[in-house]
Amino acid sequence: EAGVVQSPRYKIIEKKQPVAFWCNPISGHNTLYWYLQNLGQGPELLIRYENEEAVDDSQLPKDRFSAERLKGVDSTLKIQPAELGDSAVYLCASSRRGVKDEQFFGPGTRLTVL
Amino acid sequence: KNQVEQSPQSLIILEGKNCTLQCNYTVSPFSNLRWYKQDTGRGPVSLTIMTFSENTKSNGRYTATLDADTKQSSLHITASQLSDSASYICVVNRMDSSYKLIFGSGTRLLVRP
C-alpha cells in the first residue's frame, strides 16, 4: 500500500510570492489533514477534510492560506502571499474514517521563505 | 486549556541503553493517547495507541504506559539502537465534537555508538 505522497519536498521562495503544496492521501482514506510544523515543535492542524468538505479550518489563516480537495481525493494547500514566518514544514496526513482512526503522515514539504 | 507537555526536551544515550520519555496532559475529555516517532526529514509514524482502559502497550522494543488518573504517559525504549535517534511525539485525542488531536512538542533522542 502506497503511503501519503507530497510534493514538492522542498521549496524556496521569496516573500510575497505564492506557493502551493500538493498531497495525495492513501487510497480509500476519507479524512485528510494539513499540518504546519515549526522546528522543534509538534504539528499544528491547519485544516481537516472529510471527503471534499472542510470540517475544521478554524486554525487556517484565511487571509493568506487556502486549501481545496476537489473530488475528495488529492488536496492542494496554497499560501499567497508568503511571509517570512511561513517558513516551516507542511505535513499532510490521512486516515480511513475520521480522527479516531490512525493517521498516516506524508514526508512533508519544507518551505523556506527568504 | 488542553495541553500536552513532554520531557525531557532532548536526550542523549549510548547505544544499548534503555530510556524513558514522559508525557503529561491536561486534555479533557480524553479519548486516546498516541506515541509517534519522527525521523529527521520524515513525517511522524505511529508507535502505539492507547485508550482510557489500557495502561500498557508494546511495539517491539517500545513500551508505552498510561495512567489516566494522573494523566501521565511514558514511552520506554529498551536496548536502544542508532536508528532510534528521532523525535518522539505524544499526541492526545480529545473526545468531543471536534475530535482534535493535541500534539506535544516532542522529545529529541540521540543514540550514540
Side-chain angles (χ1 to χ4, degrees):
Chain A
E1 179 181 72
V4 177
V5 179
Q6 290 188 248
S7 68
R9 290 295 313 278
Y10 305 91
K11 189 73 176 179
I12 301 175
I13 61 172
E14 293 187 343
K15 63 181 180 181
K16 299 184 181 180
Q17 294 299 307
V19 64
F21 314 124
W22 175 80
C23 173
N24 178 239
I26 293 174
S27 178
H29 282 197
N30 295 332
T31 309
L32 184 145
Y33 315 75
W34 281 103
Y35 289 92
L36 178 153
Q37 186 174 27
N38 289 304
L39 187 64
Q41 300 295 315
E44 302 171 27
L45 180 69
L46 289 173
I47 190 168
R48 173 167 65 95
Y49 282 94
E50 297 287 349
N51 297 304
E52 66 274 11
E53 181 183 0
V55 296
D56 184 356
D57 63 355
S58 57
Q59 302 302 312
L60 188 72
K62 299 181 182 64
D63 57 335
R64 297 183 301 107
F65 286 65
S66 65
E68 60 182 13
R69 191 184 184 198
L70 300 176
K71 301 181 181 179
V73 181
D74 295 359
S75 178
T76 302
L77 178 68
K78 297 178 181 178
I79 309 175
Q80 183 171 11
E83 297 179 352
L84 295 177
D86 296 332
S87 295
V89 175
Y90 292 82
L91 292 166
C92 179
S94 69
S95 61
R96 185 168 297 279
R97 196 178 56 240
V99 293
K100 289 185 177 180
D101 291 338
E102 181 178 355
Q103 291 187 25
F104 295 84
F105 286 82
T109 296
R110 180 176 295 279
L111 173 67
T112 301
V113 182
L114 303 176
Chain B
K1 183 179 178 181
N2 293 300
Q3 283 190 315
V4 176
E5 301 287 342
Q6 292 189 242
S7 63
Q9 194 172 37
S10 61
L11 181 64
I12 301 174
I13 62 173
L14 293 177
E15 185 180 12
K17 298 297 185 182
N18 304 334
C19 68
T20 301
L21 314 180
Q22 300 292 340
C23 174
N24 296 336
Y25 62 93
T26 58
V27 178
S28 182
F30 168 87
S31 176
N32 58 58
L33 184 145
R34 315 172 187 200
W35 282 95
Y36 282 87
K37 177 186 179 187
Q38 185 172 22
D39 293 311
T40 300
R42 312 289 289 270
V45 175
S46 179
L47 293 175
T48 63
I49 300 177
M50 288 184 292
T51 62
F52 181 87
S53 60
E54 298 174 297
N55 55 25
T56 186
K57 182 162 282 189
S58 292
N59 178 359
R61 294 180 297 101
Y62 301 101
T63 300
T65 65
L66 172 64
D67 186 332
D69 292 331
T70 62
K71 297 186 177 180
Q72 296 179 326
S73 176
S74 66
L75 180 68
H76 186 75
I77 304 175
T78 305
S80 61
Q81 300 177 358
L82 298 180
S83 59
D84 292 332
S85 296
S87 287
Y88 292 84
I89 304 174
C90 176
V91 186
V92 179
N93 192 342
R94 195 171 73 192
M95 184 178 65
D96 60 15
S97 59
S98 67
Y99 291 113
K100 268 192 169 39
L101 290 183
I102 312 298
F103 287 77
S105 296
T107 292
R108 285 174 292 285
L109 174 66
L110 176 61
V111 180
R112 285 186 167 164

